Amino acid sequence: PVVAKPESKPNFANAAQLKIDPQSLKPVDGKVALEVELVLPEGWKINAQAPMAYYVEADGENGPIKRDGLGKRPLAKPAAKFRVELPVAKNEGRDQVRVSMNFYYCQEGGEGLCRASSVVFLVPVVIDAGAKQDQGRVTHTIKTEFFGGDTFE
């Protein structure tokens, strides 16, 4: 019998590596969250036909964020804005989370050009029961030049 190999994580070596400011988050119902937003150039949209998933990892073997709740997470529908929930084991502590993804975006209109891109968000997270919010925000702004590759802010 043929045994299926587990799906491997894509290589994000050429992805935009974005270091995000530390996010101080309050756990609610055993989790905190990050709102991810991909800001596309005017006249472009996320390709609704291309499956979209992200990968969540945390540095080290232990931390306030539960390691067993991480890994690949597919989106039900491709979107430029979505929520990443992070299960927490402790109500305080510091951790570093990595959210990596490939995404596809196209010019609006039926004849539009499409592009592939990828990003890795490096997010220091401070879990603090006294924090004001349970959700942080990470943003990637894509600028597209007609005859070049993507440029990043």
Side-chain angles (χ1 to χ4, degrees):
V2 176
V3 177
K5 292 182 183 177
E7 188 175 344
S8 62
K9 181 182 123 187
N11 181 342
F12 292 105
N14 294 322
Q17 306 283 322
L18 302 181
K19 293 182 180 178
I20 307 300
D21 289 337
Q23 306 281 313
S24 184
L25 304 174
K26 171 178 62 177
V28 174
D29 297 329
K31 62 185 175 248
V32 295
L34 296 172
E35 179 183 75
V36 174
E37 183 174 10
L38 304 171
V39 180
L40 300 172
E42 186 175 335
W44 293 76
K45 63 183 178 181
I46 288 292
N47 183 344
Q49 304 302 312
M52 199 167 169
Y54 59 92
Y55 298 80
V56 183
E57 301 166 285
D59 289 353
E61 292 182 21
N62 298 308
I65 294 174
K66 291 182 182 177
R67 292 346 192 216
D68 61 354
L70 306 181
K72 180 181 179 180
R73 298 183 183 169
L75 292 177
K77 180 179 177 185
K81 187 186 284 189
F82 57 92
R83 181 178 164 100
V84 174
E85 292 188 345
L86 303 169
V88 296
K90 302 176 188 172
N91 283 336
E92 60 183 42
R94 295 179 175 271
D95 225 329
Q96 170 115 341
V97 175
R98 190 175 304 106
V99 179
S100 310
M101 64 184 303
N102 292 315
F103 59 96
Y104 304 90
Y105 60 107
C106 302
Q107 286 179 318
E108 293 176 347
E111 72 293 337
L113 170 72
C114 291
R115 294 183 177 225
S117 193
S118 55
V119 63
V120 176
F121 296 101
L122 304 167
V123 188
V125 177
V126 179
I127 306 298
D128 179 359
K132 295 181 176 156
Q133 58 189 15
D134 67 336
Q135 178 173 290
R137 182 178 169 96
V138 297
T139 303
H140 175 43
T141 300
I142 300 106
K143 289 185 174 182
T144 302
E145 298 172 356
F146 188 70
F147 288 109
D150 296 339
T151 57
F152 304 98
E153 290 188 335

